[in-house]
Amino acid sequence: MAENIGNLKRTHNCEALRSKNIGEEVVLAGWVQRRRDHGGVIFIDLRDRTGITQVVFNPEGNKDVHEKAHNIRSEYVLAVKGKVVPRPEGTVNPKLPTGEIEVLVSDLKVLNESKTPPFMIEDDIDIAETLRLKYRFLDLRRPSVAKGLIMRHKVSTSVRNFLNGEGFLDIETPMLTKSTPEGARDYLVPSRVNAGAFYALPQSPQLFKQILMVAGFDRYYQIVKCFRDEDLRADRQPEFTQIDMEMSFIDREDIMAMAEKMMARIFKDVLGLELTGHFPVMTYDETVTRYGLDKPDIRFGLEHVDLTEIMKGCGFKVFADAASKGGIVKAINVKGGATLSRKDLDDLTAYVGNYGARGMAWIKVTESEWQSPIVKFFTDEEIGRIKELTGAEVGDLLLFGSDKAEVVNESLGNLRNELARRLKLVDADTYSFLWVTDFPLLEYDGQTKRHVAIHHPFTAPLDEDLSLIDSEPAKARSKAYDLVLNGNEVGGGSIRIHDQSLQQKVFKLLNISEEEAGAKFGFLLDALAFGAPPHGGIAMGLDRLVMIMSGVDSIRDVIAFPKTQKAACMMTEAPSQVEPEQLTELNLSLNIPKKED
RNA sequence: GGGGCCGUAGUUAAGUUGGUUAUAACGCCGGCCUGUCACGCCGGAGGGCGCGGGUUCGAGUCCCGUCGGCCCCGCCA
């Protein structure tokens, strides 16, 4: 039977007591981590989110209390009153911060019993994630899991303190808002009072924060949920949290400086690390050329070497064709990689296959020869050029990609990361930020056969590329910037268009008709026409940032109640069917296609 | 939409070329135990192998389908 607290109000948490507390009468409350019943004396490790204290039931003390303690099991909830005493000579536990003392119990209340938990509440256990998520309330009792949420709290606290100090205002924006074209798939919410009409959950507060700038709130922030109905990954959940900010009367270097200062503050407050100097800045073109990806991890080398020019007329048809027909040929020199086995190479070939590469040529540089299936196709001069450009030395491994530029860059870019993982080229505790700037304004979407905005349609072009908007829009670059941390995109933003005519011009480029622009973004165009200040901002992915800072591989580990890959919550079993009456009230009917047999 | 991996006691796993009553560890239950902290010792219960078909004398092992989980591609302004 569960007892009420009564007079046993706790005086300390389970990590608080030390030798200096010896002699004090204290009350602790928490969960039973473990019981060691010796028939006579009974030890219980009492746990709360701060730590563990050993409490002792001695039969020579209170008989009733000792009797009661026999029935205690794992995860029972206890309040104990007792005296802090030193542990007897030789029984100090150096593994526990509280290991020099124990609490000799004089009064006990079993605040609640517990069923035997489906898994043990401790770190370093190996359990299926689906079970952890179903019993998330138990999983979250494990210190390593709680640690992620505690760190998340520290990060958001640090962010608020910093931005409040810099004069930013925390202003909430609607969760029930308007569906807009472009971007990700919206989560829709039917309107009961407007039959047939829908709200959308925000993909980000983008337009609202711009409107707030027009309204004169020249420094805004919000730690806010965003929703995108797209497929999940280890670093993507359908609802996620952004540190969203926007400033007026600034240019991009001001936003970048502010974001850097904020990151420095977060790392200082939360990890005690000093981030010194400015974050390096690299243009989009440079990242793609050197690393293949626009979010390179710059903690290790393995940079790409472009061999397109020298392969144009070579005897290896695959390379020659790619090089002369608009594609590219690139190589990575894996220093000391000649020790990789044939199986390793097969694995890596399969790996680049994920990104559309149809193969992966390689050359092992050994004392006696260039060992490779393709080296026989090259002239001595070509081999010399390859050697020169890649810096190949004895013991190295050269890996090649040849195809359309996107395929080569994507596959070799990801291969580079994979090699670093396999060869353990990075120290897990290092943090390396990078700004990526000068993104193209537009990209061509082969599916819809039109240009779409790379960042979003409100991103300003670079000043020097303004004239390209009319002549060669595909070449125009934007005032967008991404913040990359250890190869992960943790933030992105831009200077926005604050001129109504330029905004209309960009909509036109994106094949958004005047009518459509008016219908979907009329309020923004309106606002821009009423004295919009120059403005811009950035949004940081809180989940990803905390994931990296806490050294875990999935944002699920830093979200209290995350969803599985099918966007389901194992605990609540959301999403679920609803009563027909609810649908009727919303003027909805279901039309679920039958599966074909 | 596609590729890969996985599903066996509460948990984590083992399970030979298909072949008696499906193993182990931890956990759980009972007993003993006054200094343990992964307490110890003795004893015990617990699953029919995600689900549904099929092949076979016989299926956890083979085949088909299906559900669920994880990683990835597509998708994610």
Side-chain angles (χ1 to χ4, degrees), chain A residues 34 91 102 126 183 230-231 453 455:
Chain A
R34 214 176 277 276
T91 63
E102 60 196 15
D126 185 18
E230 298 293 346
D231 286 350
H455 190 55

PDB file of all heavy atoms in Angstrom, chain A residues 34 91 102 126 183 230-231 453 455, chain B residues 12 34-37 39 70 74-75 77:
ATOM      1  N   ARG A  34      18.896  -0.634  -5.585  1.00  0.00           N
ATOM      2  CA  ARG A  34      19.293  -2.005  -5.312  1.00  0.00           C
ATOM      3  C   ARG A  34      19.121  -2.280  -3.824  1.00  0.00           C
ATOM      4  O   ARG A  34      19.313  -1.404  -2.992  1.00  0.00           O
ATOM      5  CB  ARG A  34      20.763  -2.197  -5.704  1.00  0.00           C
ATOM      6  CG  ARG A  34      21.078  -3.552  -6.247  1.00  0.00           C
ATOM      7  CD  ARG A  34      22.528  -3.601  -6.685  1.00  0.00           C
ATOM      8  NE  ARG A  34      22.726  -3.049  -8.015  1.00  0.00           N
ATOM      9  CZ  ARG A  34      22.546  -3.757  -9.131  1.00  0.00           C
ATOM     10  NH1 ARG A  34      22.172  -5.004  -9.086  1.00  0.00           N
ATOM     11  NH2 ARG A  34      22.764  -3.214 -10.313  1.00  0.00           N
ATOM     12  N   THR A  91      34.850  -0.015   4.725  1.00  0.00           N
ATOM     13  CA  THR A  91      33.633  -0.204   3.921  1.00  0.00           C
ATOM     14  C   THR A  91      33.271   1.060   3.145  1.00  0.00           C
ATOM     15  O   THR A  91      32.188   1.178   2.592  1.00  0.00           O
ATOM     16  CB  THR A  91      32.428  -0.605   4.798  1.00  0.00           C
ATOM     17  OG1 THR A  91      32.144   0.454   5.702  1.00  0.00           O
ATOM     18  CG2 THR A  91      32.717  -1.884   5.550  1.00  0.00           C
ATOM     19  N   GLU A 102      26.718   6.893   5.248  1.00  0.00           N
ATOM     20  CA  GLU A 102      25.471   6.196   4.979  1.00  0.00           C
ATOM     21  C   GLU A 102      24.443   6.763   5.936  1.00  0.00           C
ATOM     22  O   GLU A 102      24.776   7.502   6.876  1.00  0.00           O
ATOM     23  CB  GLU A 102      25.638   4.687   5.168  1.00  0.00           C
ATOM     24  CG  GLU A 102      26.057   4.285   6.577  1.00  0.00           C
ATOM     25  CD  GLU A 102      26.589   2.851   6.640  1.00  0.00           C
ATOM     26  OE1 GLU A 102      26.890   2.269   5.585  1.00  0.00           O
ATOM     27  OE2 GLU A 102      26.708   2.334   7.757  1.00  0.00           O
ATOM     28  N   ASP A 126      22.014  -2.974 -22.399  1.00  0.00           N
ATOM     29  CA  ASP A 126      21.754  -3.078 -23.817  1.00  0.00           C
ATOM     30  C   ASP A 126      20.309  -3.536 -23.995  1.00  0.00           C
ATOM     31  O   ASP A 126      20.015  -4.703 -23.792  1.00  0.00           O
ATOM     32  CB  ASP A 126      22.743  -4.095 -24.406  1.00  0.00           C
ATOM     33  CG  ASP A 126      22.625  -4.192 -25.907  1.00  0.00           C
ATOM     34  OD1 ASP A 126      22.058  -3.264 -26.511  1.00  0.00           O
ATOM     35  OD2 ASP A 126      23.078  -5.200 -26.461  1.00  0.00           O
ATOM     36  N   GLY A 183       9.212  24.246 -49.653  1.00  0.00           N
ATOM     37  CA  GLY A 183       9.645  23.655 -48.420  1.00  0.00           C
ATOM     38  C   GLY A 183       9.104  22.269 -48.181  1.00  0.00           C
ATOM     39  O   GLY A 183       8.762  21.550 -49.111  1.00  0.00           O
ATOM     40  N   GLU A 230       8.156  14.967 -42.961  1.00  0.00           N
ATOM     41  CA  GLU A 230       9.041  14.255 -43.879  1.00  0.00           C
ATOM     42  C   GLU A 230       9.576  13.020 -43.169  1.00  0.00           C
ATOM     43  O   GLU A 230       9.377  12.847 -41.968  1.00  0.00           O
ATOM     44  CB  GLU A 230      10.199  15.165 -44.307  1.00  0.00           C
ATOM     45  CG  GLU A 230       9.755  16.419 -45.055  1.00  0.00           C
ATOM     46  CD  GLU A 230       9.146  16.120 -46.423  1.00  0.00           C
ATOM     47  OE1 GLU A 230       9.285  14.981 -46.925  1.00  0.00           O
ATOM     48  OE2 GLU A 230       8.513  17.038 -46.992  1.00  0.00           O
ATOM     49  N   ASP A 231      10.257  12.160 -43.915  1.00  0.00           N
ATOM     50  CA  ASP A 231      10.736  10.919 -43.307  1.00  0.00           C
ATOM     51  C   ASP A 231      11.841  11.173 -42.283  1.00  0.00           C
ATOM     52  O   ASP A 231      12.609  12.111 -42.408  1.00  0.00           O
ATOM     53  CB  ASP A 231      11.215   9.957 -44.389  1.00  0.00           C
ATOM     54  CG  ASP A 231      10.037   9.351 -45.137  1.00  0.00           C
ATOM     55  OD1 ASP A 231       8.890   9.541 -44.684  1.00  0.00           O
ATOM     56  OD2 ASP A 231      10.269   8.706 -46.171  1.00  0.00           O
ATOM     57  N   ALA A 453      14.157  27.755 -54.393  1.00  0.00           N
ATOM     58  CA  ALA A 453      15.112  28.439 -53.524  1.00  0.00           C
ATOM     59  C   ALA A 453      15.905  27.404 -52.752  1.00  0.00           C
ATOM     60  O   ALA A 453      15.355  26.437 -52.249  1.00  0.00           O
ATOM     61  CB  ALA A 453      14.376  29.359 -52.561  1.00  0.00           C
ATOM     62  N   HIS A 455      17.731  28.094 -49.976  1.00  0.00           N
ATOM     63  CA  HIS A 455      17.443  28.362 -48.561  1.00  0.00           C
ATOM     64  C   HIS A 455      15.939  28.530 -48.418  1.00  0.00           C
ATOM     65  O   HIS A 455      15.223  27.599 -48.113  1.00  0.00           O
ATOM     66  CB  HIS A 455      18.235  29.586 -48.108  1.00  0.00           C
ATOM     67  CG  HIS A 455      18.194  29.806 -46.642  1.00  0.00           C
ATOM     68  ND1 HIS A 455      18.568  28.840 -45.742  1.00  0.00           N
ATOM     69  CD2 HIS A 455      17.816  30.874 -45.900  1.00  0.00           C
ATOM     70  CE1 HIS A 455      18.418  29.325 -44.509  1.00  0.00           C
ATOM     71  NE2 HIS A 455      17.964  30.541 -44.591  1.00  0.00           N
TER      72      HIS A 455
ATOM     73  P     U B  12      16.071  -6.926 -25.090  1.00  0.00           P
ATOM     74  OP1   U B  12      16.160  -5.655 -25.834  1.00  0.00           O
ATOM     75  OP2   U B  12      15.179  -7.999 -25.546  1.00  0.00           O
ATOM     76  O5'   U B  12      17.532  -7.533 -24.937  1.00  0.00           O
ATOM     77  C5'   U B  12      18.637  -6.677 -24.636  1.00  0.00           C
ATOM     78  C4'   U B  12      19.892  -7.501 -24.445  1.00  0.00           C
ATOM     79  O4'   U B  12      19.720  -8.391 -23.316  1.00  0.00           O
ATOM     80  C3'   U B  12      20.227  -8.447 -25.592  1.00  0.00           C
ATOM     81  O3'   U B  12      20.870  -7.785 -26.661  1.00  0.00           O
ATOM     82  C2'   U B  12      21.138  -9.450 -24.893  1.00  0.00           C
ATOM     83  O2'   U B  12      22.428  -8.910 -24.698  1.00  0.00           O
ATOM     84  C1'   U B  12      20.451  -9.586 -23.534  1.00  0.00           C
ATOM     85  N1    U B  12      19.517 -10.731 -23.499  1.00  0.00           N
ATOM     86  C2    U B  12      20.052 -11.969 -23.163  1.00  0.00           C
ATOM     87  O2    U B  12      21.234 -12.119 -22.918  1.00  0.00           O
ATOM     88  N3    U B  12      19.160 -13.003 -23.144  1.00  0.00           N
ATOM     89  C4    U B  12      17.815 -12.931 -23.421  1.00  0.00           C
ATOM     90  O4    U B  12      17.126 -13.952 -23.360  1.00  0.00           O
ATOM     91  C5    U B  12      17.335 -11.621 -23.764  1.00  0.00           C
ATOM     92  C6    U B  12      18.183 -10.590 -23.784  1.00  0.00           C
ATOM     93  P     U B  34      23.016 -13.186  10.275  1.00  0.00           P
ATOM     94  OP1   U B  34      23.261 -13.570  11.667  1.00  0.00           O
ATOM     95  OP2   U B  34      21.646 -12.798   9.823  1.00  0.00           O
ATOM     96  O5'   U B  34      23.981 -11.985   9.912  1.00  0.00           O
ATOM     97  C5'   U B  34      23.830 -11.285   8.681  1.00  0.00           C
ATOM     98  C4'   U B  34      24.499  -9.947   8.793  1.00  0.00           C
ATOM     99  O4'   U B  34      23.743  -9.120   9.720  1.00  0.00           O
ATOM    100  C3'   U B  34      25.921 -10.020   9.307  1.00  0.00           C
ATOM    101  O3'   U B  34      26.694  -9.086   8.577  1.00  0.00           O
ATOM    102  C2'   U B  34      25.796  -9.544  10.761  1.00  0.00           C
ATOM    103  O2'   U B  34      26.945  -8.877  11.236  1.00  0.00           O
ATOM    104  C1'   U B  34      24.632  -8.557  10.647  1.00  0.00           C
ATOM    105  N1    U B  34      23.906  -8.351  11.894  1.00  0.00           N
ATOM    106  C2    U B  34      23.837  -7.057  12.363  1.00  0.00           C
ATOM    107  O2    U B  34      24.342  -6.112  11.765  1.00  0.00           O
ATOM    108  N3    U B  34      23.166  -6.911  13.542  1.00  0.00           N
ATOM    109  C4    U B  34      22.572  -7.904  14.269  1.00  0.00           C
ATOM    110  O4    U B  34      22.005  -7.619  15.317  1.00  0.00           O
ATOM    111  C5    U B  34      22.686  -9.225  13.716  1.00  0.00           C
ATOM    112  C6    U B  34      23.349  -9.403  12.572  1.00  0.00           C
ATOM    113  P     G B  35      28.152  -9.566   8.046  1.00  0.00           P
ATOM    114  OP1   G B  35      27.900 -10.701   7.137  1.00  0.00           O
ATOM    115  OP2   G B  35      29.087  -9.721   9.189  1.00  0.00           O
ATOM    116  O5'   G B  35      28.635  -8.307   7.216  1.00  0.00           O
ATOM    117  C5'   G B  35      28.212  -8.128   5.883  1.00  0.00           C
ATOM    118  C4'   G B  35      28.757  -6.817   5.388  1.00  0.00           C
ATOM    119  O4'   G B  35      28.012  -5.735   5.982  1.00  0.00           O
ATOM    120  C3'   G B  35      30.232  -6.593   5.734  1.00  0.00           C
ATOM    121  O3'   G B  35      30.854  -5.887   4.676  1.00  0.00           O
ATOM    122  C2'   G B  35      30.158  -5.640   6.922  1.00  0.00           C
ATOM    123  O2'   G B  35      31.278  -4.819   7.069  1.00  0.00           O
ATOM    124  C1'   G B  35      28.919  -4.823   6.538  1.00  0.00           C
ATOM    125  N9    G B  35      28.260  -4.129   7.640  1.00  0.00           N
ATOM    126  C8    G B  35      27.726  -4.656   8.790  1.00  0.00           C
ATOM    127  N7    G B  35      27.176  -3.736   9.553  1.00  0.00           N
ATOM    128  C5    G B  35      27.371  -2.542   8.860  1.00  0.00           C
ATOM    129  C6    G B  35      26.988  -1.225   9.184  1.00  0.00           C
ATOM    130  O6    G B  35      26.380  -0.825  10.177  1.00  0.00           O
ATOM    131  N1    G B  35      27.375  -0.322   8.216  1.00  0.00           N
ATOM    132  C2    G B  35      28.042  -0.662   7.074  1.00  0.00           C
ATOM    133  N2    G B  35      28.344   0.343   6.251  1.00  0.00           N
ATOM    134  N3    G B  35      28.403  -1.892   6.740  1.00  0.00           N
ATOM    135  C4    G B  35      28.036  -2.772   7.687  1.00  0.00           C
ATOM    136  P     U B  36      31.762  -6.704   3.570  1.00  0.00           P
ATOM    137  OP1   U B  36      31.963  -8.103   4.001  1.00  0.00           O
ATOM    138  OP2   U B  36      32.918  -5.830   3.296  1.00  0.00           O
ATOM    139  O5'   U B  36      30.837  -6.674   2.283  1.00  0.00           O
ATOM    140  C5'   U B  36      29.937  -7.734   2.039  1.00  0.00           C
ATOM    141  C4'   U B  36      28.712  -7.201   1.359  1.00  0.00           C
ATOM    142  O4'   U B  36      28.003  -6.305   2.253  1.00  0.00           O
ATOM    143  C3'   U B  36      28.977  -6.340   0.129  1.00  0.00           C
ATOM    144  O3'   U B  36      29.208  -7.128  -1.021  1.00  0.00           O
ATOM    145  C2'   U B  36      27.678  -5.554   0.021  1.00  0.00           C
ATOM    146  O2'   U B  36      26.655  -6.336  -0.532  1.00  0.00           O
ATOM    147  C1'   U B  36      27.354  -5.303   1.493  1.00  0.00           C
ATOM    148  N1    U B  36      27.791  -3.974   1.956  1.00  0.00           N
ATOM    149  C2    U B  36      27.024  -2.892   1.575  1.00  0.00           C
ATOM    150  O2    U B  36      26.029  -3.008   0.883  1.00  0.00           O
ATOM    151  N3    U B  36      27.461  -1.672   2.023  1.00  0.00           N
ATOM    152  C4    U B  36      28.553  -1.434   2.801  1.00  0.00           C
ATOM    153  O4    U B  36      28.817  -0.280   3.132  1.00  0.00           O
ATOM    154  C5    U B  36      29.302  -2.610   3.163  1.00  0.00           C
ATOM    155  C6    U B  36      28.905  -3.818   2.740  1.00  0.00           C
ATOM    156  P     C B  37      30.252  -6.661  -2.131  1.00  0.00           P
ATOM    157  OP1   C B  37      30.295  -7.686  -3.180  1.00  0.00           O
ATOM    158  OP2   C B  37      31.493  -6.210  -1.467  1.00  0.00           O
ATOM    159  O5'   C B  37      29.545  -5.362  -2.725  1.00  0.00           O
ATOM    160  C5'   C B  37      28.341  -5.474  -3.481  1.00  0.00           C
ATOM    161  C4'   C B  37      27.795  -4.096  -3.746  1.00  0.00           C
ATOM    162  O4'   C B  37      27.561  -3.417  -2.496  1.00  0.00           O
ATOM    163  C3'   C B  37      28.739  -3.161  -4.483  1.00  0.00           C
ATOM    164  O3'   C B  37      28.605  -3.381  -5.868  1.00  0.00           O
ATOM    165  C2'   C B  37      28.240  -1.787  -4.086  1.00  0.00           C
ATOM    166  O2'   C B  37      27.114  -1.405  -4.843  1.00  0.00           O
ATOM    167  C1'   C B  37      27.773  -2.037  -2.647  1.00  0.00           C
ATOM    168  N1    C B  37      28.759  -1.614  -1.633  1.00  0.00           N
ATOM    169  C2    C B  37      28.767  -0.268  -1.247  1.00  0.00           C
ATOM    170  O2    C B  37      27.967   0.519  -1.758  1.00  0.00           O
ATOM    171  N3    C B  37      29.652   0.129  -0.306  1.00  0.00           N
ATOM    172  C4    C B  37      30.494  -0.756   0.227  1.00  0.00           C
ATOM    173  N4    C B  37      31.347  -0.315   1.150  1.00  0.00           N
ATOM    174  C5    C B  37      30.509  -2.131  -0.161  1.00  0.00           C
ATOM    175  C6    C B  37      29.632  -2.511  -1.082  1.00  0.00           C
ATOM    176  P     C B  39      24.635  -5.819  -6.252  1.00  0.00           P
ATOM    177  OP1   C B  39      23.345  -6.489  -6.372  1.00  0.00           O
ATOM    178  OP2   C B  39      24.701  -4.405  -5.929  1.00  0.00           O
ATOM    179  O5'   C B  39      25.536  -6.588  -5.173  1.00  0.00           O
ATOM    180  C5'   C B  39      25.294  -7.945  -4.911  1.00  0.00           C
ATOM    181  C4'   C B  39      26.392  -8.452  -4.051  1.00  0.00           C
ATOM    182  O4'   C B  39      26.144  -8.083  -2.671  1.00  0.00           O
ATOM    183  C3'   C B  39      26.491  -9.968  -3.983  1.00  0.00           C
ATOM    184  O3'   C B  39      27.185 -10.480  -5.111  1.00  0.00           O
ATOM    185  C2'   C B  39      27.277 -10.154  -2.697  1.00  0.00           C
ATOM    186  O2'   C B  39      28.639  -9.831  -2.879  1.00  0.00           O
ATOM    187  C1'   C B  39      26.637  -9.082  -1.806  1.00  0.00           C
ATOM    188  N1    C B  39      25.509  -9.635  -1.033  1.00  0.00           N
ATOM    189  C2    C B  39      25.811 -10.427   0.088  1.00  0.00           C
ATOM    190  O2    C B  39      26.995 -10.611   0.378  1.00  0.00           O
ATOM    191  N3    C B  39      24.801 -10.972   0.802  1.00  0.00           N
ATOM    192  C4    C B  39      23.542 -10.735   0.433  1.00  0.00           C
ATOM    193  N4    C B  39      22.594 -11.284   1.169  1.00  0.00           N
ATOM    194  C5    C B  39      23.207  -9.923  -0.703  1.00  0.00           C
ATOM    195  C6    C B  39      24.216  -9.407  -1.400  1.00  0.00           C
ATOM    196  P     C B  70      12.816   3.164 -34.871  1.00  0.00           P
ATOM    197  OP1   C B  70      12.849   4.332 -33.983  1.00  0.00           O
ATOM    198  OP2   C B  70      12.052   3.221 -36.133  1.00  0.00           O
ATOM    199  O5'   C B  70      14.285   2.713 -35.218  1.00  0.00           O
ATOM    200  C5'   C B  70      15.271   2.582 -34.186  1.00  0.00           C
ATOM    201  C4'   C B  70      16.547   2.028 -34.775  1.00  0.00           C
ATOM    202  O4'   C B  70      16.297   0.708 -35.324  1.00  0.00           O
ATOM    203  C3'   C B  70      17.114   2.805 -35.946  1.00  0.00           C
ATOM    204  O3'   C B  70      17.843   3.947 -35.538  1.00  0.00           O
ATOM    205  C2'   C B  70      17.985   1.753 -36.617  1.00  0.00           C
ATOM    206  O2'   C B  70      19.178   1.563 -35.896  1.00  0.00           O
ATOM    207  C1'   C B  70      17.113   0.507 -36.463  1.00  0.00           C
ATOM    208  N1    C B  70      16.244   0.285 -37.642  1.00  0.00           N
ATOM    209  C2    C B  70      16.814  -0.316 -38.774  1.00  0.00           C
ATOM    210  O2    C B  70      18.002  -0.628 -38.749  1.00  0.00           O
ATOM    211  N3    C B  70      16.035  -0.545 -39.859  1.00  0.00           N
ATOM    212  C4    C B  70      14.748  -0.191 -39.839  1.00  0.00           C
ATOM    213  N4    C B  70      14.029  -0.438 -40.931  1.00  0.00           N
ATOM    214  C5    C B  70      14.153   0.433 -38.711  1.00  0.00           C
ATOM    215  C6    C B  70      14.932   0.657 -37.635  1.00  0.00           C
ATOM    216  P     G B  74      19.516  11.312 -51.150  1.00  0.00           P
ATOM    217  OP1   G B  74      20.280  12.181 -52.063  1.00  0.00           O
ATOM    218  OP2   G B  74      19.359  11.681 -49.731  1.00  0.00           O
ATOM    219  O5'   G B  74      18.054  11.087 -51.745  1.00  0.00           O
ATOM    220  C5'   G B  74      17.867  10.829 -53.129  1.00  0.00           C
ATOM    221  C4'   G B  74      16.423  10.496 -53.391  1.00  0.00           C
ATOM    222  O4'   G B  74      16.057   9.327 -52.612  1.00  0.00           O
ATOM    223  C3'   G B  74      15.411  11.560 -52.973  1.00  0.00           C
ATOM    224  O3'   G B  74      15.237  12.551 -53.967  1.00  0.00           O
ATOM    225  C2'   G B  74      14.155  10.731 -52.766  1.00  0.00           C
ATOM    226  O2'   G B  74      13.535  10.431 -54.002  1.00  0.00           O
ATOM    227  C1'   G B  74      14.733   9.464 -52.143  1.00  0.00           C
ATOM    228  N9    G B  74      14.753   9.540 -50.676  1.00  0.00           N
ATOM    229  C8    G B  74      15.825   9.811 -49.866  1.00  0.00           C
ATOM    230  N7    G B  74      15.523   9.843 -48.596  1.00  0.00           N
ATOM    231  C5    G B  74      14.163   9.580 -48.577  1.00  0.00           C
ATOM    232  C6    G B  74      13.257   9.489 -47.479  1.00  0.00           C
ATOM    233  O6    G B  74      13.500   9.620 -46.277  1.00  0.00           O
ATOM    234  N1    G B  74      11.959   9.214 -47.901  1.00  0.00           N
ATOM    235  C2    G B  74      11.581   9.050 -49.200  1.00  0.00           C
ATOM    236  N2    G B  74      10.284   8.806 -49.398  1.00  0.00           N
ATOM    237  N3    G B  74      12.404   9.129 -50.242  1.00  0.00           N
ATOM    238  C4    G B  74      13.668   9.387 -49.846  1.00  0.00           C
ATOM    239  P     C B  75      15.350  14.118 -53.570  1.00  0.00           P
ATOM    240  OP1   C B  75      14.958  14.896 -54.753  1.00  0.00           O
ATOM    241  OP2   C B  75      16.657  14.336 -52.939  1.00  0.00           O
ATOM    242  O5'   C B  75      14.238  14.288 -52.439  1.00  0.00           O
ATOM    243  C5'   C B  75      12.841  14.358 -52.767  1.00  0.00           C
ATOM    244  C4'   C B  75      12.031  14.365 -51.489  1.00  0.00           C
ATOM    245  O4'   C B  75      12.333  13.166 -50.732  1.00  0.00           O
ATOM    246  C3'   C B  75      12.350  15.496 -50.514  1.00  0.00           C
ATOM    247  O3'   C B  75      11.699  16.709 -50.847  1.00  0.00           O
ATOM    248  C2'   C B  75      11.848  14.911 -49.198  1.00  0.00           C
ATOM    249  O2'   C B  75      10.440  14.980 -49.125  1.00  0.00           O
ATOM    250  C1'   C B  75      12.271  13.451 -49.338  1.00  0.00           C
ATOM    251  N1    C B  75      13.616  13.226 -48.746  1.00  0.00           N
ATOM    252  C2    C B  75      13.694  13.051 -47.359  1.00  0.00           C
ATOM    253  O2    C B  75      12.648  13.074 -46.696  1.00  0.00           O
ATOM    254  N3    C B  75      14.901  12.855 -46.783  1.00  0.00           N
ATOM    255  C4    C B  75      15.999  12.848 -47.540  1.00  0.00           C
ATOM    256  N4    C B  75      17.156  12.648 -46.923  1.00  0.00           N
ATOM    257  C5    C B  75      15.953  13.022 -48.955  1.00  0.00           C
ATOM    258  C6    C B  75      14.753  13.213 -49.510  1.00  0.00           C
ATOM    259  P     A B  77      13.646  21.883 -46.150  1.00  0.00           P
ATOM    260  OP1   A B  77      14.912  21.377 -46.715  1.00  0.00           O
ATOM    261  OP2   A B  77      13.630  22.512 -44.848  1.00  0.00           O
ATOM    262  O5'   A B  77      12.996  22.877 -47.184  1.00  0.00           O
ATOM    263  C5'   A B  77      12.705  22.455 -48.510  1.00  0.00           C
ATOM    264  C4'   A B  77      12.622  23.648 -49.394  1.00  0.00           C
ATOM    265  O4'   A B  77      11.810  24.633 -48.755  1.00  0.00           O
ATOM    266  C3'   A B  77      13.976  24.305 -49.690  1.00  0.00           C
ATOM    267  O3'   A B  77      13.909  24.843 -51.026  1.00  0.00           O
ATOM    268  C2'   A B  77      14.014  25.450 -48.699  1.00  0.00           C
ATOM    269  O2'   A B  77      14.796  26.512 -49.108  1.00  0.00           O
ATOM    270  C1'   A B  77      12.547  25.848 -48.647  1.00  0.00           C
ATOM    271  N9    A B  77      12.118  26.495 -47.418  1.00  0.00           N
ATOM    272  C8    A B  77      11.083  27.399 -47.325  1.00  0.00           C
ATOM    273  N7    A B  77      10.886  27.861 -46.112  1.00  0.00           N
ATOM    274  C5    A B  77      11.853  27.222 -45.369  1.00  0.00           C
ATOM    275  C6    A B  77      12.163  27.290 -44.013  1.00  0.00           C
ATOM    276  N6    A B  77      11.518  28.046 -43.138  1.00  0.00           N
ATOM    277  N1    A B  77      13.181  26.550 -43.578  1.00  0.00           N
ATOM    278  C2    A B  77      13.835  25.785 -44.457  1.00  0.00           C
ATOM    279  N3    A B  77      13.621  25.628 -45.750  1.00  0.00           N
ATOM    280  C4    A B  77      12.610  26.386 -46.155  1.00  0.00           C
TER     281        A B  77
END
